Amino acid sequence: MEKLEMNNIFSLFKNKKVLVTGHTGFKGAWLSELLNSIGANVYGIALDADELSLYNLIDLKTKVKSYIQDIRNLESIKKIVKEINPDIIFHLAAQPIVLESYNAPVYTYETNVIGTINLMEAMRELNNLECAVMITTDKVYENKEWAWGYREIDALGGHDPYSASKACSEIAIKSYKRSFLNNINMVSVRAGNVIGGGDFSKHRIIPDIVRAIEKDEPVELRNPNSVRPWQHVLDVLYGYLLVCYNLIYNDNVSDSYNFAPIDEGNIYTVEYITKIFIENIGRGSYKINVHDTNKKEMNMLRLDSSLARKELNWKEKFNTKEAIKHTAIWYKEYLNKNDVNNITKIQIKNYIGI
């Protein structure tokens, strides 16, 4: 990943009107800050940010034109998208938590499926949209918990409502592409377990560790042996921008792409990630407390990112241990009550080489 290559890709976004749905969430806030740093005019549609969120900590509301709106409201979404008239869209708005999908299955399906359809309905009325990148998840695959990574041609499915809703949204995306949006460059992208500073979501291991440190308690690991493709948020977002670049300048683009670490990063368990994070941050402890519950999370999930590496020339900058290190650096600043706006800018600047 050469500096010149990255700069060529980033130059595409300068002065473009870029819409990010879900910009008040963890990945959406990082993406909005990244786009802002490379000169894009960023717009966002999302629900209000949680009080403790990256969006608020870096004062993103002063850098993005925000529309606080539930994506399930079709007429409002159509009106807002038409008003923005974006050149580029990144769709991240979602109910993203597996365990929460068991508590609120209808809301999860409405947000993840109908919300995606509502956005595509709005896209039908645009005449200058250059590309749309539809972000789903690694959990869209029919998970058989086998040892090798899922490829883009493998069957979609989902045991829990979150995974199934995202698989449904993938089917809807392909349907709209073929039925109504065949003149629009649109691709779905699937990433693994994304880590990085500023994630305060419930039921995610890094935020759980940080909350436990704040309470001076050991973090409880409910699935210590679960394996996920752990990767840093900036590596994933670079993949999203790279997809957009190829959609505009390359005719040979597939319908969907996986972004995941190479095999070495596809084998780490929750317990291992916890140990390395605690070691890097220099604080904390853990205990294993497996609950017998019908709210099942899959134990083994691996992704094959060969297609993105071959067709897009994507490559992660951080291996999994480096991703954990940079994540711990961010949270050290947070726990020490320092200005995390500064560390966020530094990490983006160092990543993109400006």
Side-chain angles (χ1 to χ4, degrees), residues 1 6 234-235 238 317-318 347-353:
M1 185 165 56
M6 291 187 78
L234 288 174
D235 276 330
Y238 174 62
K317 191 171 186 178
F318 303 135
Q347 290 193 335
I348 289 175
K349 180 179 180 179
N350 290 341
Y351 187 88
I352 66 179

Side-chain angles (χ1 to χ4, degrees), residues 12-18 39-43 87-88 130:
L12 164 68
F13 298 91
K14 187 174 179 60
N15 297 322
K16 294 285 188 182
K17 289 193 290 185
V18 183
N41 299 314
V42 187
Y43 299 78
D87 301 306
I88 294 166
E130 295 182 40

Side-chain angles (χ1 to χ4, degrees), residues 40-278:
N41 299 314
V42 187
Y43 299 78
I45 299 175
L47 298 176
D48 272 318
D50 292 335
E51 183 176 351
L52 178 56
S53 62
L54 180 64
Y55 178 86
N56 285 331
L57 287 170
I58 64 174
D59 201 23
L60 199 57
K61 65 179 181 292
T62 64
K63 311 168 192 176
V64 174
K65 172 61 176 175
S66 290
Y67 295 83
I68 302 304
Q69 177 61 59
D70 193 322
I71 199 162
R72 295 176 297 167
N73 188 319
L74 173 60
E75 293 308 316
S76 294
I77 294 301
K78 288 171 68 174
K79 180 180 179 182
I80 292 169
V81 172
K82 185 176 181 180
E83 179 181 324
I84 297 170
N85 194 26
D87 301 306
I88 294 166
I89 292 175
F90 292 97
H91 175 48
L92 290 84
Q95 191 300 99
I97 306 298
V98 171
L99 289 181
E100 185 58 32
S101 75
Y102 284 105
N103 299 327
V106 174
Y107 174 75
T108 299
Y109 278 101
E110 286 179 345
T111 302
N112 295 352
V113 184
I114 300 303
T116 299
I117 291 171
N118 287 348
L119 178 64
M120 292 189 293
E121 277 292 301
M123 288 163 53
R124 294 178 65 183
E125 300 182 8
L126 301 178
N127 53 23
N128 67 331
L129 184 64
E130 295 182 40
C131 72
V133 180
M134 314 296 279
I135 287 82
T136 61
T137 175
D138 57 342
K139 297 173 182 65
V140 297
Y141 295 104
E142 180 66 36
N143 195 338
K144 303 181 186 300
E145 301 205 64
W146 52 37
W148 52 89
Y150 291 93
R151 300 169 298 168
E152 291 81 354
I153 59 173
D154 286 323
L156 303 181
H159 295 267
D160 59 89
Y162 168 72
S163 302
S165 71
K166 282 297 195 175
C168 290
S169 72
E170 288 264 6
I171 294 170
I173 290 165
K174 288 184 178 180
S175 171
Y176 263 73
K177 171 67 177 173
R178 292 166 181 161
S179 301
F180 309 115
L181 301 173
N182 56 358
N183 62 331
I184 290 179
N185 296 315
M186 183 167 67
V187 162
S188 63
V189 294
R190 308 154 184 171
N193 275 44
V194 179
I195 62 174
D199 188 2
F200 298 98
S201 302
K202 295 179 180 179
H203 310 304
R204 286 183 181 162
I205 186 57
I206 299 296
D208 284 349
I209 298 170
V210 173
R211 280 187 287 269
I213 290 172
E214 289 181 300
K215 296 176 182 177
D216 196 24
E217 297 174 352
V219 65
E220 291 190 1
L221 304 186
R222 63 182 184 272
N223 296 303
N225 298 317
S226 292
V227 172
R228 297 288 186 269
W230 311 92
Q231 55 196 326
H232 194 270
V233 62
L234 288 174
D235 276 330
V236 175
L237 298 183
Y238 174 62
Y240 296 169
L241 301 188
L242 189 57
V243 165
C244 187
Y245 182 90
N246 278 271
L247 281 170
I248 294 173
Y249 292 115
N250 184 359
D251 292 333
N252 184 30
V253 179
S254 297
D255 290 335
S256 58
Y257 289 99
N258 292 336
F259 293 105
I262 55 176
D263 284 347
E264 174 266 342
N266 254 307
I267 61 175
Y268 293 133
T269 65
V270 167
E271 184 175 11
Y272 179 85
I273 296 298
T274 302
K275 287 180 178 178
I276 298 300
F277 183 80
I278 288 173

Side-chain angles (χ1 to χ4, degrees), residues 306-323:
S306 300
L307 186 64
R309 295 173 189 277
K310 179 181 179 181
E311 291 190 359
L312 307 177
N313 196 30
W314 176 78
K315 181 181 179 182
E316 67 271 55
K317 191 171 186 178
F318 303 135
N319 63 33
T320 299
K321 290 183 179 179
E322 290 168 337

